[in-house]
Amino acid sequence: MKDRRTRKSAAGAACGLAGLLLSVFCYAPGARAARFVSINMCADELLLRLADPADIASLSYLSRDARNSTIATQAAAFPVNRGRAEEVMALAPDLVFASAFSAPATLSMLRRLGVPLAVLDVPTTFEAIVAQVRGVASRIGRPEAAEREVHLMNGRLAGLRRELPLSPATALVLQANNIAVGAGTLIDSVLAEAGLVNLAAQAGIVGYGRMPLEAILIRPPDILIVETDNEGAPALATQAPRHPALAALARRGAMRTVDMPSRLWTCAGPGTVEAVAYLRRALQGKTP
Amino acid sequence: MSTLRPLTHRQTVAALAMVAALLTALSMAVGETRLDVFAAAADFVHGRDSLASLILVELRLPRALLGAATGFGLGLAGAAMQGLLRNPLAEPGVMGISGAAALGAVVMFYAGLTGVFAFALPLGGMAGAAAASVILFALAGRGLGTMALVLAGVAINSLAGALTSLALNLSPNPYAALEIVFWLMGSLADRSLADIALALVPAAPGWWLLLTAGRALDALSLGEDVAQSLGFNLRWLRIRLILGTALAVGSAVAVTGMIGFVGLVAPHLARPLAGREPGRVLPAAGFVGAILTLGADILLRLLPTQPELNLGVVTALVGAPFLFLLLRRLRGEA
């Protein structure tokens, strides 16, 4: 998933059309290195993939936490911020990347202060990921980086699709507090690419919805997918999908449980293809 | 045809036990999916592996049993405390014993100790309950009045609540802080057979300690001097009730969170049925506690709220007005 990054070379890349439409600011590479700041972990990943490292002034502190982030090692080389308006201002950024889920107070403060801001939405399909990658790349003046990433991702997806079995298995993703992941989510798209039918979506859950244990037991999925990351520190919420009744179901051979590191699908980006690959390996019985 | 005679005490307790057993069975018929309970039970008895029997045994049975056991323990502890302290407001919830039990369980659970040793959870609950009982009974021994004792309970409750909240906020798991709701307003949802073992193994000897304190409490109701002259050791009685309450309440709260007011209401409802002597109230209050808890837990699953209400919310909705009534009656007597 680590890609080769080229030093700033051809400075001729023009400002992309998407960039022009999205904002007033559009970075045109010049003599001085740009100062891009990200206050969102998912935007961090896109910057690391697309931007010239010399242009990255700061990433969010969350990206250094290997439990939740897939880019912890790369992010260690960059200064980090905690996403507060004051520290962002102090970085004198040319462009700040945030998420639609960033703190509203911070976003409105940055807008008031006139800081160029790119607020990224959260793609839920691989097509939307491609569009976002191209949009971000054009705003930082590196459209060729976007095409490289998109090409790699689509190639990877096509390769995984060729290995798909003929009959899809049903799957249920059970998050903390027994929240099931339904239709219209990134995870739903990942399941589809991994050749799985999302049972929660079939049950009519759009977005995220609670799935009672009894409902799971009466109509079990072939594959139960449980996220693993927070289990170092216990909470009732994260223990809920580990209920003994589900374990009993698995013991009877009625269902298989697959552990999923949730950081693989926390962010929508070119790296999300790793979540598909992980599930494919797990389903084939290999250690993922 | 015999004429209608009032039930003997034994018959009253047996009748209450039967109602509790009936509600335990009824509780297993209520759930989030339609289930042929009799077919599911038959599947289980004949060893047929069906999904319905799995739901019945792994989900509904633990919930029903835990409801009965928790309610029994709370009612029993409430009756014992009201007898010992000769205070109609005494009960594990109001006096802060449940709150301290929750704190002990929270510390054990979120520190990760229960992952290493499962019984650390009820042990934590029992340690908390015992600590709070020792403080309360020591204060009571110094002749604190009814209201002063209740205020001491308020102090223990707020301190335990604040420390519980602190412990949850210190957890690195982002979900932990939200779980204060479960610990303060308990629930029987999605408990498992493993939880049954954790709660019942320590609770059973606790019930025995409380149930067998009846005669000493009867003597105490005539005054401390009378009780002592009848040969009852009051110091030993206190220790026995502290241990019994810690075992019965501490282990239950560790698994279900705090379920308030059952211990307060149950003895008051049991008295008109079983008589006023503490020894008679004890077993009756236990079964009334089980009936109240099971009834509330069945009710909240029949309500159309999604997700279901916490059991502690329902018992508080019933119990808090009851406490107000009691306070009014006490003022009338004073």
Side-chain angles (χ1 to χ4, degrees), chain A residues 67 176-178 210 212-215 217-220 230-231 233-239 243-245 248-249 251-252 254, chain B residues 31-33 35 49-51 53-55 58-60 109-110 112 171-176 179 182-183 190-192 306-307:
Chain A
R67 278 174 309 170
N177 280 323
N178 290 348
R210 206 180 70 87
L213 279 177
E214 288 198 3
L217 291 190
I218 207 77
R219 191 179 164 219
N230 276 313
E231 291 188 319
L236 299 167
T238 33
Q239 282 192 0
H243 195 283
L249 200 60
R251 269 201 309 278
R252 292 178 178 200
Chain B
E32 312 217 38
T33 50
L35 198 67
D49 266 4
S50 74
L51 295 174
S53 80
L54 195 67
I55 290 179
E58 295 275 347
L59 291 179
R60 295 198 184 173
F109 180 77
Y110 294 91
S171 163
N173 190 314
Y175 291 98
E179 288 170 4
F182 168 80
W183 292 105
D190 295 346
R191 302 289 94 187
S192 69
Q306 271 301 338

Side-chain angles (χ1 to χ4, degrees), chain A residues 101-177:
Chain A
F101 292 105
S102 296
T106 307
L107 292 185
S108 67
M109 173 63 85
L110 289 174
R111 281 200 189 96
R112 268 208 304 285
L113 294 169
V115 177
L117 197 60
V119 179
L120 305 182
D121 62 0
V122 180
T124 57
T125 64
F126 283 93
E127 293 77 43
I129 288 174
V130 168
Q132 186 174 68
V133 166
R134 289 192 170 132
V136 169
S138 82
R139 290 198 69 169
I140 60 173
R142 286 175 58 97
E144 77 289 350
E147 294 318 311
R148 187 192 62 219
E149 289 292 339
V150 168
H151 180 75
L152 280 173
M153 184 184 90
N154 283 338
R156 203 64 204 288
L157 281 175
L160 287 163
R161 234 173 266 144
R162 276 195 292 276
E163 303 167 12
L164 285 185
L166 288 175
S167 62
T170 58
L172 179 70
V173 180
L174 208 53
Q175 298 186 330
N177 280 323

Side-chain angles (χ1 to χ4, degrees), chain A residues 209-274:
Chain A
R210 206 180 70 87
M211 191 69 137
L213 279 177
E214 288 198 3
I216 302 172
L217 291 190
I218 207 77
R219 191 179 164 219
D222 298 323
I223 314 287
L224 178 74
I225 300 170
V226 179
E227 300 183 335
T228 50
D229 304 66
N230 276 313
E231 291 188 319
L236 299 167
T238 33
Q239 282 192 0
R242 303 283 179 195
H243 195 283
L246 294 173
L249 200 60
R251 269 201 309 278
R252 292 178 178 200
M255 182 181 79
R256 247 184 78 196
T257 307
V258 169
D259 289 350
M260 180 80 186
S262 64
R263 60 176 175 276
L264 292 182
W265 56 24
T266 300
C267 286
T272 309
V273 71
E274 295 304 324

